[in-house]
Amino acid sequence: MRIQKLDKDSKANLLEDLLRRSPNNYTEYEARVTAILQEVKEKKDAAIFAYTKQFDKADIDKDTIRVTDAEMEEAYQSVDASLLEIIRKALKNIREYHDKQKQYSWFDSKPDGSILGQKITPLQRVGVYVPGGKAVYPSSVLMNVIPAKCAGVDEIIMVTPPGKDGKVNPNTLVAAKEAGVDVVYKVGGAQAIAALAYGTQSIPKVDKIVGPGNIYVALAKKAVYGHVSIDSVAGPSEILVIADETANPRYVAADLLSQAEHDELASAILVTTSEELAYKVSEEVDQFVKELSRGEIIQKSLDNYGYILIADTLDEAIETANEIASEHLEIQTANPFEVMTKIRNAGAIFIGEYSSEPLGDYFAGPNHILPTNGTAKFFSPLSVDDFIKKSSIISYSREALKAAHLDIEAFAKAEQLTAHANSIHVRFENE
């Protein structure tokens, strides 16, 4: 991995480099995505079937687009029993974590007869996108579906591209069933996002779309935002490790590569106060790349977006981490909890040398759908909050309104909204 001294210039170049990976910079795909969305909006199912044939080489029609009970049963027979047990363990941890995020309606009444409050209502129907093909991630099924279930969403629809045989990966189907998905449709890509956003004869329109996908999926979600809500426009995966001389270089190297293997645009960054650690980590990385199955992808990721930065002080390392606002942030220092208190911007924070990033991907419980490309400065991980909406509650008695009506009328008249003022005035015009 490239090793650089951390200074003003290297930091600026790094930030500029990382931002180039944002889906917002892939405008050359937007016209194609827009055409797909419009086609599905106009031709509905017919467009869905045609695009599935074109892109996934699968023949799907109105009778086969929906995963049947028989197909689900077949999936259970195909999945390794030990994996099913692990899925259920992970599901339990994820559910317990997200159950603690639940919000409840509240009401505050006063002696004058006024009642103010907030009503929490789950979304009615949510669409979950799950990648297909070589990218089979049952863990992402759990992470997208379980918070929606905890929130109380009425109906959860999943879309995922089929293989050439018209079937969905059994691991994906089993994870969906275990998590509580109501129905699974065999459609992927931008056309699946369009179906969820606009509705077709087979697929109902949803209120919100969540889940990761390729650049076409990301741009499609961005384009339909407003017709429906979305979780985020996800960019490539990323990890940043803050480490000092106490860190284990082999652990650090392994953790950096856990994200570099996702794809060639993934970023893996170490910021350390120890020059000795920097070179040891680089050596360990080189050794691991020779041994790991996705070594070619890892190497391209590291060549493009892999960095080891040597900082003069731990505070400088922390400041850099806050500017990068990484999706995953690991802290492997002598006092990691102290460092954690100084972190403002990160999707998920992993504290200590035994809190490796894949722990969060699969098992611990917190959500692994995280803000990327610096958006951790203002976005949060996927949570129960993403699947609820809030309504304000206002109820005033005559007595309560009488005490305030002149102030309200004066405020409305100051804004030259006389109908607003009149709406209050008519209730007291005879006094």
Side-chain angles (χ1 to χ4, degrees), residues 408-424:
I408 300 168
E409 290 174 40
F411 214 151
K413 289 174 181 176
E415 294 186 349
Q416 298 183 11
L417 296 175
T418 55
H420 279 63
N422 187 60
S423 173
I424 299 293

Side-chain angles (χ1 to χ4, degrees), residues 198-399:
Y198 306 128
T200 73
Q201 292 92 336
S202 297
I203 302 175
K205 182 184 186 302
V206 301
D207 301 314
K208 184 164 188 171
I209 303 171
V210 301
N214 61 19
I215 187 63
Y216 292 98
V217 170
L219 291 175
K221 286 170 69 177
K222 179 182 176 185
V224 301
Y225 178 66
H227 294 280
V228 293
S229 179
I230 63 170
D231 51 353
S232 65
V233 179
S237 189
E238 54 202 28
I239 185 172
L240 187 147
V241 180
I242 297 176
D244 61 15
E245 70 282 355
T246 68
N248 184 317
R250 190 165 174 81
Y251 294 174
V252 173
D255 293 355
L256 290 170
L257 300 186
S258 71
Q259 294 309 291
E261 78 168 341
H262 270 294
D263 63 63
E264 296 167 11
L265 293 176
S267 74
I269 301 169
L270 166 63
V271 186
T272 180
T273 52
S274 170
E275 185 173 346
E276 181 181 357
L277 179 77
Y279 283 96
K280 285 183 177 179
V281 168
S282 182
E283 292 170 6
E284 293 285 357
V285 164
D286 291 341
Q287 188 58 43
F288 276 131
V289 171
K290 296 175 186 176
E291 303 168 359
L292 295 169
S293 62
R294 295 169 67 88
E296 186 175 344
I297 292 174
I298 291 172
Q299 191 58 60
K300 288 181 179 178
S301 168
L302 296 178
D303 290 344
N304 293 328
Y305 303 106
Y307 294 86
I308 296 177
L309 303 174
I310 303 173
D312 289 330
T313 66
L314 194 54
D315 282 343
E316 186 181 25
I318 293 168
E319 180 185 346
T320 300
N322 280 328
E323 287 192 49
I324 293 172
S326 186
E327 177 188 17
H328 306 98
L329 173 66
E330 289 190 3
I331 304 172
Q332 299 191 34
T333 61
N335 298 297
F337 282 92
E338 181 182 345
V339 173
M340 180 270 293
T341 64
K342 299 177 181 179
I343 298 298
R344 293 185 62 91
N345 305 319
I349 304 171
F350 300 79
I351 301 173
E353 65 179 7
Y354 292 103
S355 303
S356 171
E357 188 278 336
L359 174 65
D361 271 354
Y362 296 108
F363 206 76
N367 210 287
H368 79 200
I369 310 296
L370 303 167
T372 57
N373 279 111
T375 60
K377 290 180 178 178
F378 43 83
F379 282 145
S380 304
L382 192 74
S383 72
V384 169
D385 289 351
D386 287 286
F387 300 99
I388 62 170
K389 55 195 177 83
K390 304 168 185 175
S391 300
S392 302
I393 301 295
I394 303 170
S395 175
Y396 264 46
S397 66
R398 178 179 176 81
E399 177 189 358

Side-chain angles (χ1 to χ4, degrees), residues 151-205:
V153 171
D154 292 342
E155 185 179 6
I156 300 174
I157 292 172
M158 193 175 96
V159 292
T160 188
K164 294 179 182 178
D165 58 359
K167 295 185 177 181
V168 175
N169 182 277
N171 292 349
T172 298
L173 286 184
V174 167
K177 181 68 173 179
E178 292 291 319
V181 170
D182 293 293
V183 58
V184 180
Y185 292 102
K186 304 170 186 176
V187 57
Q191 60 272 24
I193 301 302
L196 293 173
Y198 306 128
T200 73
Q201 292 92 336
S202 297
I203 302 175
K205 182 184 186 302

Side-chain angles (χ1 to χ4, degrees), residues 41-60:
K41 189 175 183 180
E42 293 176 359
K43 298 182 179 178
K44 301 185 183 299
D45 269 1
I48 291 294
F49 303 149
Y51 282 127
T52 302
K53 179 65 174 178
Q54 178 182 346
F55 297 129
D56 301 306
K57 314 303 179 188
D59 289 309
I60 298 296

